[in-house]
Amino acid sequence: MMTITFDTHKFIRALKQAGFDEKQAEALSEAMSLALGDSELLTRKDLQIELAPVKSDLMLLKWLGGLVLGGVMALILKTFFP
């Protein structure tokens, strides 16, 4: 998984331009950095790797369901049309 990069210097500058004072901007930047530091970004590739076993299991179930349905249909046709 990928971690999120966070530019604290840019964030502090943007907050100062919006009217925050230096102390407030630094405190908010530190809080955001701590919050984002613990999180991880899930990419499409990570998700595909995680779901690959599920996809193969569903494919197997689809084929088995088709075989069972075909068998049932064959028995029904054999019963009513000897």
Side-chain angles (χ1 to χ4, degrees):
M1 286 189 207
M2 201 167 106
T3 57
I4 300 171
T5 57
F6 180 64
D7 188 354
T8 55
H9 184 64
K10 266 186 180 178
F11 189 67
I12 290 173
R13 276 191 316 198
L15 289 174
K16 285 165 114 181
Q17 288 175 355
F20 282 77
D21 65 17
E22 180 82 22
K23 194 173 182 178
Q24 289 174 326
E26 286 180 6
L28 188 54
S29 175
E30 185 177 340
M32 287 291 292
S33 181
L34 287 173
L36 291 176
D38 293 339
S39 65
E40 291 183 350
L41 182 65
L42 183 67
T43 63
R44 183 178 299 230
K45 187 174 183 178
D46 294 331
L47 191 58
Q48 287 173 342
I49 291 169
E50 292 290 325
L51 294 179
V54 175
K55 186 177 180 182
S56 64
D57 290 345
L58 287 176
M59 184 67 76
L60 177 65
L61 286 175
K62 182 175 88 170
W63 280 101
L64 288 176
L67 288 173
V68 169
L69 184 61
V72 170
M73 289 301 294
L75 289 173
I76 290 172
L77 289 174
K78 184 177 179 182
T79 302
F80 290 110
F81 303 103

